[in-house]
């Protein structure tokens, strides 16, 4: 495959880690953490390396709509401000501006660059996003769970290039060249060979400076993706894997290491500029990444994370007690993180002390800056190909219908989607469903009243509907007893979901009370669960509609795997667009539901 200028640039700057460990390494001793360039002993031998990072882009080439396209900013007077952000044109411009004046600059990401993407990218199997990442200068990324949405072969194609095996090439005379940067899969191995699916690590080199990157996704990836997407693969513990390859890099003389981890945390505030080191280092963040950060070897100098779509820049002590940065830049290209890594040329390590970790801060990708012209051209090119499909009107709404951006566990758009799934499967011969359940993670955006293009305010286009429901999961209708259904509702707030509940969206007629003052399964008030006003009967069999992901036990809902007498209906997207068309018009637009089916006690 011919090397593009971008690919040649990447080859010059990156050296993929070899599997052979016999290479002679340098023996300099690593130093601990915190920029210390003013120290007389190190004067003249250190250099500041700029690490720019982001995560969970999810193919959002165009600025995301609704709440998905804003970040919350805390102001000095204590108030909070919503700032419009994101989009490839602005992300590219922000990164290019940030790099000015920094002769040593590397750009990295922490997974989910693709998958669950809007139509502009998803319609073309995310080739447009890979092209955009090449152009904006991404040097390396870990995989995320969504990189496996279309399976291992498709992920490999995105890395290596080639036209889609079914859809072929999208433009005459133009062949997809693949990612000009490495996707790292250190903790994802082939079940038979035991070898990593793609490269486990890479080394960035520039003028004598060497920084190693190890990339992992969350070990629980198989629990949150369709089984077919990870068939034949094994996912390993994040900490054990990172620690293993940190030793490998050290043996090769690479002492400066950054871990790219597609797993994240939950900051105490939703503001991107919240100080999560208050009152003490790392006190303002919780979630899986905190435990990971406390156990990853001190050989690793910084952790770039993702998955939770949150914004934070924290200092979490490593196992030796030294401070170390743990960062995440929200999602959809709305933020980027700028971290200063002070590199010591003698020790070949990042300078850290017990006083201060490398400086890191999140910055807004605001939409008031000029657009990157090459991204504008890229978007226009793909939009032209997508236009016949994307611009088709499928419905009308009277106001914004909140989905991903809803403040409460039950969202108005979640109600619309579950109602759509019930309607598509309730008829005899079409499944006979009595209720429908929708996983919250499958609701990827809001429906915005304001026009995104020339369609007019209140018009919902196919492209906008696709952005909300991009997975095209097939609907399943299964038999569940009342006891099994109750067990599934309890799994929203217990077991693997207890720490971070996943509240299912429910169709009209299903009501219950969720008491969050209690713990575990007790949070679901048993006697409150009713269908069409009648109490749930544990012994009775109910026909329940859900997408194939939920029916397979995804997101920790093991109870649904016991469903019997399965009927396969239309895709979730077809059900959604069909419902919008049937229940709205220009004269009678769909109004947002009240979202009052689940009573939440706090």
């Amino acid at each position: 495959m011919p090397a593009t200028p971008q690919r040649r640039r990447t080859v010059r700057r990156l050296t993929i880690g070899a599997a052979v460990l016999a290479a002679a390494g340098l023996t300099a001793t690593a130093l601990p953490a915190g920029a210390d360039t003013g120290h007389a002993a190190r004067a003249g031998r250190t250099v500041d390396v700029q690490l720019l990072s982001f995560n969970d882009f999810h193919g959002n080439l165009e600025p995301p709509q609704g709440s998905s396209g804003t970040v919350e900013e805390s102001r000095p007077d204590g108030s909070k401000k919503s700032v419009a952000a994101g989009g490839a044109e602005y992300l590219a411009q922000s990164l290019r501006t940030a790099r000015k004046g920094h002769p040593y600059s590397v750009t990295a990401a922490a997974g989910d660059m693709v998958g669950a993407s809007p139509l502009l990218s998803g319609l073309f199997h995310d080739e447009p996003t890979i092209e955009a990442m090449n152009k904006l200068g991404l040097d390396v990324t870990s995989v995320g769970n969504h990189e496996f949405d279309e399976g291992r072969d498709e992920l490999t194609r995105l890395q290596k290039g080639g036209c889609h095996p079914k859809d072929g090439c999208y433009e005459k005379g133009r062949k997809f060249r693949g990612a000009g940067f490495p996707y790292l899969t250190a903790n994802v191995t082939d079940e038979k060979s035991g070898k990593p699916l793609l490269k486990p690590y890479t080394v960035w080199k520039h003028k004598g400076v060497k920084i190693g990157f190890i990339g992992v996704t969350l070990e629980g990836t198989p629990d949150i993706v369709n089984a077919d997407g990870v068939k034949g693969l094994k996912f390993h513990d994040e900490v054990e894997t990172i620690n293993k390859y940190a030793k490998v890099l050290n043996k090769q003389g690479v002492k400066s290491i950054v871990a790219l981890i597609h797993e994240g945390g939950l900051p105490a505030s939703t503001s991107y500029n919240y100080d999560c080191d208050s009152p003490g280092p790392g006190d303002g963040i919780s979630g899986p990444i905190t435990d990971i950060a406390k156990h990853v070897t001190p050989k690793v100098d910084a952790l770039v994370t993702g998955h939770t779509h949150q914004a934070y820049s924290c200092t979490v002590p490593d196992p030796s007690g030294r401070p170390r940065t743990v960062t995440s830049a929200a999602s959809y290209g709305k933020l980027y993180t700028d971290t200063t890594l002070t590199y010591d040329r003698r020790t070949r390590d990042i300078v850290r002390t017990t006083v201060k970790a490398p400086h890191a801060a999140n910055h807004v990708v605001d939409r008031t800056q000029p657009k990157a012209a090459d991204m504008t051209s890229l978007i226009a090119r793909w939009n032209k190909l997508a236009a016949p499909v994307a611009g088709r009107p499928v419905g009308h709404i009277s106001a914004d219908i909140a989905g991903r951006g809803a403040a409460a566990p039950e969202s108005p758009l979640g109600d619309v989607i579950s109602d759509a799934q019930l309607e598509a499967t309730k008829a005899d011969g079409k499944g006979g469903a009595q209720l429908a359940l929708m996983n919250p993670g499958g609701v990827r955006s809001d429906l915005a009243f304001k026009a995104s293009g020339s369609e007019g305010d209140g018009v919902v286009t196919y492209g906008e509907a696709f952005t909300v429901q991009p997975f095209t999961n097939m609907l399943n209708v299964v038999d569940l007893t009342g006891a099994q259904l109750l067990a599934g509702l309890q799994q929203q707030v217990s077991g693997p979901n207890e720490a971070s509940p996943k509240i299912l969206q429910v169709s009209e007629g299903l009501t219950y009370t969720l008491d969050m003052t209690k713990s575990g399964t007790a949070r679901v008030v048993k006697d409150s669960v009713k269908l069409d006003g009648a109490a749930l009967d544990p012994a009775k069999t109910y026909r329940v509609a859900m997408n194939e992901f939920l029916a397979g036990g995804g997101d920790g809902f093991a109870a649904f795997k016991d469903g019997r007498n399965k009927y396969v209906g239309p895709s979730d997207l077809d059900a959604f667009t069909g419902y919008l068309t049937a229940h709205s018009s220009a004269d009678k637009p769909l109004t947002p539901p009240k979202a009052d089916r689940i009573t939440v006690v706090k």
Side-chain angles (χ1 to χ4, degrees), residues 21-69:
L21 307 182
L26 298 174
T27 58
T29 303
L31 292 179
D36 194 18
T37 54
H39 197 287
R42 297 188 183 97
R45 80 183 202 201
T46 62
V47 60
D48 283 345
V49 177
Q50 179 190 57
L51 171 62
L52 300 176
S53 59
F54 58 98
N55 51 277
D56 296 274
F57 186 74
H58 288 289
N60 278 264
L61 297 171
E62 297 178 299
Q65 289 195 60
S67 61
S68 295

Side-chain angles (χ1 to χ4, degrees), residues 90 112 148 183 199 231 259 296 367 428 549:
Y90 302 108
D112 277 6
F148 295 93
Y183 259 113
K199 301 295 182 182
K231 188 176 181 180
V296 165
R367 301 181 196 167
D428 291 339
F549 171 68

Side-chain angles (χ1 to χ4, degrees), residues 116-424:
S117 305
L119 186 77
L120 179 60
S121 186
L123 185 64
F124 306 104
H125 300 281
D126 284 310
E127 290 182 17
T129 294
I130 297 299
E131 284 190 4
M133 294 297 107
N134 288 341
K135 286 179 178 292
L136 62 74
L138 182 61
D139 289 305
V140 58
T141 184
S142 68
V143 291
N145 54 289
H146 282 287
E147 263 83 18
F148 295 93
D149 283 348
E150 295 191 49
R152 62 187 295 175
D153 290 343
E154 179 61 7
L155 171 57
T156 301
R157 185 184 76 88
L158 290 180
Q159 175 71 92
K160 297 181 178 180
C163 296
H164 192 269
K166 292 184 179 179
D167 294 346
C169 297
Y170 296 110
E171 297 173 284
K172 186 177 180 180
R174 187 190 293 262
K175 182 180 179 181
F176 176 59
R177 295 185 178 276
F181 51 89
Y183 259 113
L184 304 182
T185 61
N187 69 329
V188 186
T189 61
D190 182 272
E191 286 184 347
K192 293 182 179 179
S193 69
K195 296 180 179 179
L197 176 62
L198 296 172
K199 301 295 182 182
Y201 63 89
T202 191
V203 179
W204 176 83
K205 295 181 179 181
H206 186 62
K207 295 182 179 179
V209 173
K210 296 192 294 184
I211 297 178
F213 289 88
I214 303 167
V216 299
T217 186
L218 69 156
E219 184 182 9
T221 291
D223 298 326
I224 56 175
V225 301
N226 278 325
D228 287 346
V230 293
K231 188 176 181 180
L233 297 174
K234 188 172 182 179
F235 291 74
H236 303 270
D237 182 84
E238 303 95 333
V239 172
E240 292 177 3
T241 303
I242 293 170
N243 291 352
K244 168 187 173 181
Y245 284 108
K247 291 179 180 178
V248 171
L249 285 167
N250 272 196
K251 288 181 179 179
Q252 295 181 2
V254 179
K255 304 296 183 179
S256 299
I257 302 172
V258 176
L260 307 176
I261 310 173
H262 191 72
E263 178 61 288
L266 301 170
S269 170
T270 55
S271 296
Y272 82 88
N273 56 342
Y274 163 70
D275 181 7
C276 62
D277 285 335
S278 178
D283 286 345
I285 188 171
S286 60
I289 198 61
T290 58
D291 187 57
I292 291 173
K294 291 174 182 177
H295 291 89
V296 165
T297 175
K299 297 179 189 295
V300 173
D301 299 293
L303 278 60
V304 176
T305 75
H307 187 55
T308 56
H309 290 206
Q310 301 298 308
Y312 48 84
S313 177
C314 305
T315 304
V316 180
D318 67 21
S320 69
R322 300 187 182 101
R324 180 168 58 192
T325 57
V326 179
T327 65
S328 173
S331 60
Y332 305 156
K334 294 181 291 186
L335 299 174
Y336 71 91
T337 311
D338 191 335
T339 304
T340 300
L341 301 174
T342 300
Y343 182 88
D344 189 312
R345 291 186 180 276
R346 180 180 299 175
T347 65
R348 293 178 172 82
D349 201 0
I350 301 303
V351 179
R352 292 196 286 147
T353 72
T354 56
V355 179
K356 184 180 180 183
H359 173 70
N362 280 322
H363 300 273
V364 178
V365 178
D366 70 86
R367 301 181 196 167
T368 60
Q369 63 185 312
K371 298 178 180 180
D374 57 341
M375 291 296 163
T376 301
S377 297
L378 182 148
I379 290 169
R381 190 180 105 239
W382 287 103
N383 261 329
K384 184 176 180 180
L385 294 174
V389 176
R392 176 169 59 88
V394 295
H396 299 77
I397 56 176
S398 64
D400 290 349
I401 304 182
R404 192 79 171 183
E410 178 187 356
S411 71
L413 190 51
D415 284 359
V416 172
I417 291 170
S418 54
D419 285 349
Q421 294 182 1
L422 175 59
E423 183 166 297

